[in-house]
Amino acid sequence: MDVLINLFVALHIIGIAALLGGFLTQMKAMSAGTARFGPAMLHGALTMLITGMVLVGLNQADGHTLNNIKIGVKLAVLIVILGIVYVRRDEESAPKPLFGAVGGLTVANILIATLWT
Ligand code: HEM
C-alpha cells in the first residue's frame, strides 16, 4: 500500500508541476496581457483533484490519520483554480489580474501543503 500511496504522491507532484509550470512559463505573456489558460494548467489542476481524492481514499484505507481541515482548504482553493481555468480555457487571452490570481492561489496551495504540518 505504501508504494501505491507514494506513486500517487508522485502523480500529485506531476499535476502541480503542470499547473504551476503552465503559469510560470507565461509570466512574460501575462505582463503583456496575452497569457492564456492552456491545456497544461487545466490538466494539471484536474490531476491534482483526482490524485488528491485517490490519496485521501488510500490513506484512509491504510488507517492513516489525515489533516482533514488542511485537505479541505486545499480542495476549496483548487476548486476555485479549476473553475477559473475551465471556464476560461478557450479564450485567446486571460486578463492579467485573473491569470495572476490563479498563479497566486496555486502558490498559496503549495505553501498550505508544505508549511501546514
Ligand atoms: C493545487 C493544489 C494542491 C497542492 C499544491 C497539493 C500539494 C501536495 C503536496 C506537496 C503533497 C505532499 C506533501 C505531503 O504529504 O504533505 C500532498 C499530499 C497530499 N495531498 Fe495534496 N495538494 C493539492 C490538492 C489536493 C487536493 C484537492 C486533495 C484532496 C482532495 C489533496 C490531498 C492530498 C493527500 C491526501 C496527500 C497525502 C497525505 C498527506 O500527507 O497529507 N491534495 N499534496
Side-chain angles (χ1 to χ4, degrees):
M1 190 67 121
D2 277 355
V3 176
L4 201 57
I5 290 177
N6 291 340
L7 186 68
F8 272 93
V9 171
L11 293 173
H12 206 55
I13 304 287
I14 290 170
I16 193 63
L19 176 59
L20 186 66
F23 171 77
L24 291 178
T25 52
Q26 292 191 87
M27 283 184 73
K28 210 168 175 180
M30 179 179 72
S31 307
T34 56
R36 58 177 299 175
F37 295 114
M41 294 179 77
L42 178 62
H43 297 150
L46 278 170
T47 304
M48 295 312 289
L49 181 65
I50 293 162
T51 54
M53 290 189 307
V54 171
L55 279 170
V56 171
L58 289 176
N59 275 283
Q60 275 178 358
D62 212 18
H64 298 178
T65 29
L66 289 173
N67 184 341
N68 288 325
I69 302 174
K70 170 179 158 178
I71 288 171
V73 173
K74 282 204 304 184
L75 179 62
V77 174
L78 181 67
I79 282 173
V80 175
I81 294 172
L82 193 54
I84 296 172
V85 175
Y86 185 77
V87 168
R88 302 272 182 151
R89 71 192 184 285
D90 285 334
E91 291 179 11
E92 286 296 317
S93 63
K96 192 172 165 178
L98 195 66
F99 197 79
V102 166
L105 287 173
T106 301
V107 172
N109 244 2
I110 293 172
L111 294 177
I112 290 165
T114 53
L115 299 183
W116 188 338
T117 50

